[in-house]
Amino acid sequence: MGRGENDEKTKMDHEEVEGGFCDKFRGFPKCIGFIVGNEFCERFSFYGMKAILTIYLLEALLFDDSTSTAIYHAFTFGCYFTPILGAIMADSWLGKYWTIVSVSILYAIGNFVLSISSLFGAPPYPFYGVSPDSNIPGAMIGLVLIALGTGGIKPCVSAFGGDQFKDGQTKQVQMFFSIFYFAINAGSLISTLVTPLLRDDVQCYGADCFPLAFGVPAILMVVATILFVVGTPFYKRNPPQGNVVVLVSKAIGNAVKNRWNRESGEQRDHWMDYCDTTIYEKKLVRDIKFMLHVLYMYIPLPVFWALFDQQGSRWTLQAYRMNYDLGPLGKMKPDQIQFVNPALILILIPIFEGAIYPILDKCKIPNRPLQRMCAGMTFAAGAFVVAGFIQIALQNTYPQPPAAGNSGLRVINLANCDLQPTFNPALPGTDAPSFEPIAYKGDQKLYDVPMGNHTLDFSCTGKTSLTAYKVDMGDQEFNTVIITDNNGALSAPSQFHTEWDKPEKADPKMRVIFMLDPATVGNNVSVRIENSDAPSQVYHTFDAEQHKATEYVVKEPGKFNVKLEYKDTSGESQTETVGDGYTTEHGGGYTVVVYKNTEYEVNSYIDAEPSSMSILFQIPQYFIITTGEVLFSVTGLDFSYSQAPKSMKSVLQAAWLLTVAFGNVIVLIVAEARLIEDQAIEFFMFAGLMGAVVIIFAIMSYFYTYNEIPKDDEEMEELGKSATNGDVEHGKVKNGVDNPALTTDGPVSPGVLAGETSYITQL
C-alpha cells in the first residue's frame, strides 16, 4: 500500500472513530442537561453537608464524640433506608417526576432548617434570646427532612434520565450514565473540598461559619430543584407501573403464611413452594428462590459498611485531633480529608479494571466475584488495624498527667536575668527532680515533683533573692510560679493552678494572668485578646485583676493581639496594644502573661502542647479502605446482578442499600453503648469483627453454588404489568414490572455496575 493510500486509510479510520464517539451524542434528549445538572447540585448539597456534620455536632451542638458518632450514623441509616420508600412512592403512586419534585422541596427545606438552626447561640448570634440548646431540635428536624429527601431522590433521578431515551439508543444511554456518574463524583469531590473551607476559613459570630457552610448546600439544593423543574416541558413521563419490591414482599408473606398453616406432615422442597400459585405465577416464585439464594450471601455484608462509613465519623474525629499543617500547601481541614476517598475511587477503578484484574487472570490467580469481595473485606479490616495504630501513636502525643503521688511545677522567669530555682531542702533521692537555670522570659517544667508542701529559693545575679517560697502540690496537679523583678528584688505571687491536659475540642484554650496593679493603668481595666485576621469576630475580653488567672476560654487558632482597654483620668476610653503576633494552634493550651518591665509586655506560654501528629498519616488507611471498596462494592453489585433473574434485580438493589443502612446501625449501637473508652481498642475491635466476618464469608463462598439463570429470562420482554388498581389482574397476580429506579436493565447500564464507577457509595 502506497503512502498516500495509507494516509487516506488513517484519515478514514480517524473519522470513523470520531463518528463513533459522536454517535453516542446523536439523538440525546434535550432534557438530559437538566437532569445531570440536578444530580451534580444535589450531590454537592448532600456530600457538602455530610462532610461537616460530625464537627457541627461536636463543636456547635456540643455533643461528645460518641453521641456525635451515633447521630451521624443514625442519619446515614435514614439516607440508605428511605430509598426503598422513595422507589415505592415513585412506582406505585406519584411517578418518578412528581416524586423527585416533591421530595426535592422537602430536601431543600431540610437544608435551610439545618442552616437556620445553626444561627441559634449565645450573643452575638442573631437568635440568642432562647434556650442555649434551641439549635438542637432544629438540627434534628433538618436532618430527618434531608434523609427523607435524599432517600426519595436516590432511586429516581437516574431511572428518570434513562426513561428519556428511545429503544435502541444503547450507546446514548451508556454515554448518559458516564456523564451522570461523573456529575455524582464531581459534586461529591468538589463539595468535600469546598464546604470545610467555608466552615473554617470564614468566621461567623466569632466561630466556625456553619450557617454559611450549611447554607451553600441549601442553595445548591434549590438550584437543583429549579433546574429539574425548568426541564419539565421536555421530559417524557411514564405513569406508575407497580413496584416489584412490594410484589415480592407480598409473595414471600403468602408463602410464610401458607407454610405456617400447612397440614401436618406436608413437606415441600423449598419454603417458597408454599406460595399460592393460583395468585402468584410460578415463574415469580422461581425467581424469588434464585434471589433468596443470593440474599443469603448478603447476611455478613453490613459489617463492611459499618467500617466504611466511619470515614465521616470516627476517622474525622481522629483527624480532628491531629495537626492540619501541610507546610507550603496550607492546612487540611479535618473534615476535608474525606475527599481522598472519591479522589482515589476515580483513580483506582480504571487501574483495577484495566491492569490488576487482567494481570490476575493472565497469571491464573483466582479472582472470582466472591473472592474479590472477601479480599475487599480483608482490606477494610486492614484499614482499621492501621487506624488503630495511628490512634495509639496519636494518643501518645497527648500530655500525660504526673504519676500518682506526684505533681507538676512550672517556673516562669520575668525578672530580666538568669533565674536559678532551688528546692530547700532538696528533694530526696539520687534522681530527684531539680531546676536548671532559666533564661529571661523562659520557663521550665518538672513533672515528677512529690505531692505535698515544698519550699523553694530563687536566686539571680544582681537581684535580691526570693527565699522560703511555699508551694502546695496536690496529687497529679500542675502549678505555675511566676517570678518578677520588684525594684531589684525577686518576687512572686501565689502559685497558679494550671490545666496540663488538652482542650476537649480541637480548638486551643487560653487564659490571661495579669501581673500589674490595674490602678497604675487606669480605671475599669480589661484585657482584650483578638485574632489579628478577624479582630471583630474572634476575640475575648477578660477583667484585669492583679495576680489573678482567668478561666480558660476556647477560641479559633491563629495569631492574636493583646490590648489593654481602660479609662484614663479624664474618663476617656483608651485602647493600647501591648502585644501582637502570638500564635495558638489546634489542641494547645496557653497562658498569656501581661506584665511590665520598662514598658507593658506580653508573653505566651504553652500549658498543653498543640497537636503534633500530621493529618497526612491518615492517607494509608484511606488508601487501604478505598481499595477494599473497589474490590467489595463494585464487585458485589456485579456478582448480585449476574446471579439474579431479571425480575429480581431491583429487589437485590434494595437489599444492597439495606446492608448499608444496617451497617450504620452497628456503629450506632457500639457508639451509644460506650463499652469501649479507648478509641484505638474500638478500631481494633471493628478490625477483629471484620476479620471474623471474612472467615465466615469465605466459608459461605466456598459452599455457595452459582445460580444458573435460564436463558429465556434474558430474552424475554419486561414481565407483565400489574393492574392499575393493584397487583391483581383477572384474579391472578402477575410477575410485575422491574423497578427501573433500582435495576441495571433500566436504566443503569451493566458497564457502570461492572466497575466503571463507584455506584453505591456515590449514588
Side-chain angles (χ1 to χ4, degrees):
M1 182 181 293
R3 179 179 176 85
E5 292 175 320
N6 187 59
D7 290 344
E8 182 66 20
K9 183 179 186 301
T10 302
K11 180 179 178 181
M12 292 173 62
D13 290 345
H14 181 66
E15 289 175 351
E16 183 177 335
V17 171
E18 286 191 335
F21 179 77
C22 293
D23 282 345
K24 296 181 180 180
F25 290 97
R26 290 198 180 100
F28 242 56
K30 295 179 180 179
C31 59
I32 291 302
F34 298 107
I35 295 173
V36 172
N38 165 273
E39 185 67 11
F40 172 83
C41 293
E42 188 273 329
R43 291 292 84 185
F44 186 107
S45 174
F46 178 75
Y47 282 102
M49 177 279 304
K50 194 180 179 189
I52 63 174
L53 178 59
T54 296
I55 290 183
Y56 176 67
L57 296 170
L58 194 71
E59 287 191 349
L61 302 190
L62 303 180
F63 292 119
D64 61 17
D65 286 12
S66 293
T67 303
S68 299
T69 298
I71 294 173
Y72 176 90
H73 287 280
F75 169 71
T76 307
F77 165 80
C79 293
Y80 283 94
F81 184 82
T82 52
I84 311 302
L85 306 179
I88 294 172
M89 183 189 303
D91 291 338
S92 301
W93 303 315
L94 297 180
K96 288 186 279 293
Y97 174 83
W98 284 112
T99 298
I100 293 170
V101 171
S102 58
V103 299
S104 291
I105 295 171
L106 193 69
Y107 197 160
I109 291 173
N111 274 291
F112 277 107
V113 169
L114 183 60
S115 179
I116 293 171
S117 71
S118 66
L119 290 170
F120 287 82
Y125 279 89
F127 305 121
Y128 58 83
V130 290
S131 167
D133 297 330
S134 58
N135 50 1
I136 295 178
M140 297 303 108
I141 292 171
L143 291 176
V144 170
L145 294 178
I146 292 170
L148 292 172
T150 192
I153 286 178
K154 197 181 290 288
C156 295
V157 177
S158 61
F160 188 74
D163 288 347
Q164 309 310 307
F165 292 89
K166 299 176 182 177
D167 292 339
Q169 288 187 303
T170 305
K171 293 181 180 179
Q172 288 85 348
V173 171
Q174 290 178 350
M175 179 56 68
F176 163 68
F177 281 106
S178 295
I179 297 171
F180 187 84
Y181 290 107
F182 176 81
I184 289 175
N185 283 283
S188 64
L189 182 63
I190 294 171
S191 65
T192 308
L193 283 170
V194 171
T195 312
L197 291 175
L198 298 176
R199 172 193 66 80
D200 190 68
D201 289 356
V202 180
Q203 292 294 312
C204 294
Y205 312 107
D208 284 349
C209 198
F210 287 107
L212 176 64
F214 286 133
V216 170
I219 293 170
L220 262 292
M221 194 58 230
V222 172
V223 173
T225 307
I226 293 173
L227 271 175
F228 186 79
V229 172
V230 167
T232 299
F234 307 102
Y235 295 142
K236 178 173 72 175
R237 288 188 260 172
N238 297 328
Q241 297 176 331
N243 186 274
V244 71
V245 175
V246 175
L247 180 59
V248 169
S249 300
K250 289 181 178 179
I252 291 175
N254 179 268
V256 171
K257 176 183 176 182
N258 291 339
R259 187 179 187 278
W260 182 264
N261 295 326
R262 71 185 186 277
E263 294 181 3
S264 178
E266 181 184 2
Q267 295 293 330
R268 299 186 183 182
D269 292 338
H270 191 283
W271 62 269
M272 270 305 301
D273 292 333
Y274 290 94
C275 184
D276 190 347
T277 53
T278 64
I279 301 176
Y280 300 93
E281 286 192 349
K282 291 181 179 180
K283 182 180 180 302
L284 176 65
V285 175
R286 183 204 69 185
D287 289 352
I288 291 175
K289 288 194 284 186
F290 279 132
M291 177 205 68
L292 293 172
H293 187 56
V294 178
L295 284 185
Y296 169 72
M297 300 301 295
Y298 278 23
I299 294 174
L301 303 192
V303 178
F304 175 87
W305 298 113
L307 275 65
F308 181 83
D309 279 337
Q310 289 188 60
Q311 292 176 74
S313 57
R314 292 299 200 195
W315 284 17
T316 296
L317 293 172
Q318 184 184 65
Y320 183 67
R321 293 177 171 87
M322 301 177 88
N323 188 301
Y324 314 155
D325 191 11
L326 303 183
L329 298 178
K331 291 189 176 182
M332 172 78 74
K333 318 303 178 188
D335 40 0
Q336 198 176 39
I337 196 170
Q338 297 173 59
F339 93 95
V340 172
N341 175 252
L344 284 174
I345 278 292
L346 296 176
I347 296 170
L348 290 178
I349 286 179
I351 292 175
F352 271 84
E353 292 297 324
I356 295 178
Y357 292 151
I359 290 173
L360 292 176
D361 291 335
K362 190 173 182 179
C363 297
K364 302 186 184 306
I365 297 176
N367 64 109
R368 300 186 72 182
L370 291 177
Q371 293 167 326
R372 293 181 188 178
M373 292 176 69
C374 235
M377 289 189 275
T378 304
F379 271 94
F384 268 69
V385 171
V386 172
F389 282 115
I390 293 295
Q391 185 67 28
I392 290 174
L394 178 63
Q395 290 171 181
N396 286 338
T397 67
Y398 295 170
Q400 299 299 317
N406 287 343
S407 57
L409 179 64
R410 173 176 61 183
V411 174
I412 296 175
N413 176 19
L414 298 179
N416 198 11
C417 62
D418 290 337
L419 181 70
Q420 178 61 66
T422 306
F423 285 98
N424 186 15
L427 298 177
T430 55
D431 296 325
S434 61
F435 285 101
E436 299 293 330
I438 305 172
Y440 176 46
K441 297 184 180 179
D443 70 329
Q444 192 174 138
K445 300 175 182 177
L446 298 180
Y447 287 95
D448 49 359
V449 179
M451 61 177 290
N453 295 318
H454 299 281
T455 302
L456 290 97
D457 295 336
F458 299 93
S459 60
C460 192
T461 303
K463 309 285 184 182
T464 303
S465 298
L466 172 63
T467 58
Y469 180 86
K470 306 274 186 197
V471 290
D472 182 11
M473 312 291 287
D475 186 26
Q476 295 187 299
E477 286 186 353
F478 199 87
N479 290 279
T480 296
V481 175
I482 301 177
I483 304 297
T484 60
D485 180 354
N486 185 12
N487 297 321
L490 300 180
S491 66
S494 299
Q495 66 196 49
F496 299 98
H497 176 71
T498 303
E499 294 183 4
W500 55 267
D501 56 337
K502 284 180 171 290
E504 292 184 8
K505 313 298 182 184
D507 287 339
K509 61 182 179 182
M510 61 191 80
R511 66 172 179 175
V512 169
I513 296 179
F514 196 71
M515 298 297 292
L516 306 172
D517 181 357
T520 63
V521 179
N523 298 318
N524 301 326
V525 182
S526 60
V527 179
R528 177 186 173 98
I529 294 180
E530 61 185 28
N531 189 296
S532 57
D533 294 326
S536 62
Q537 297 265 349
V538 183
Y539 67 90
H540 192 85
T541 301
F542 301 89
D543 292 333
E545 295 184 57
Q546 186 178 19
H547 297 162
K548 295 291 185 181
T550 66
E551 295 295 324
Y552 285 91
V553 296
V554 176
K555 288 295 174 185
E556 293 287 307
K559 291 184 177 180
F560 283 80
N561 300 328
V562 181
K563 296 181 178 181
L564 292 180
E565 298 179 332
Y566 59 92
K567 290 185 178 180
D568 60 20
T569 54
S570 63
E572 294 291 328
S573 296
Q574 302 291 335
T575 299
E576 183 176 349
T577 300
V578 295
D580 57 13
Y582 88 84
T583 302
T584 63
E585 299 179 18
H586 287 96
Y590 300 87
T591 291
V592 178
V593 181
V594 181
Y595 65 102
K596 186 173 184 179
N597 196 349
T598 56
E599 57 185 17
Y600 296 128
E601 294 188 46
V602 172
N603 272 49
S604 173
Y605 297 92
I606 296 176
D607 299 340
E609 291 292 335
S611 302
S612 58
M613 189 172 185
S614 174
I615 196 172
L616 295 179
F617 279 98
Q618 279 199 323
I619 296 294
Q621 65 201 54
Y622 271 95
F623 178 83
I624 295 170
I625 203 164
T626 306
T627 302
E629 177 191 4
V630 173
L631 288 164
F632 176 87
S633 179
V634 179
T635 305
L637 286 164
D638 186 25
F639 161 76
S640 301
Y641 284 90
S642 68
Q643 288 290 286
K646 187 175 183 180
S647 63
M648 294 295 108
K649 291 179 180 179
S650 61
V651 183
L652 284 177
Q653 177 68 67
W656 185 273
L657 291 172
L658 288 178
T659 66
V660 182
F662 289 115
N664 281 271
V665 173
I666 295 173
V667 187
L668 192 160
I669 293 172
V670 171
E672 278 298 279
R674 301 171 187 263
L675 298 177
I676 303 175
E677 293 294 331
D678 191 311
Q679 186 57 60
I681 294 177
E682 183 178 296
F683 284 150
F684 290 134
M685 182 275 293
F686 274 109
L689 177 62
M690 187 78 263
V693 168
V694 167
I695 296 172
I696 294 171
F697 189 78
I699 296 172
M700 293 170 64
S701 301
Y702 180 80
F703 291 102
Y704 179 81
T705 55
Y706 282 78
N707 287 334
E708 294 184 8
I709 309 299
K711 289 184 178 180
D712 63 332
D713 253 24
E714 303 304 324
E715 297 170 357
M716 288 176 60
E717 296 181 357
E718 290 289 331
L719 301 175
K721 298 181 180 179
S722 301
T724 304
N725 61 348
D727 294 319
V728 180
E729 182 179 352
H730 305 303
K732 189 173 185 179
V733 173
K734 309 299 291 181
N735 285 332
V737 177
D738 244 2
N739 173 15
L742 295 172
T743 178
T744 55
D745 297 292
V748 181
S749 64
V752 170
L753 295 170
E756 292 177 6
T757 186
S758 178
Y759 177 71
I760 280 296
T761 58
Q762 299 301 328
L763 182 63

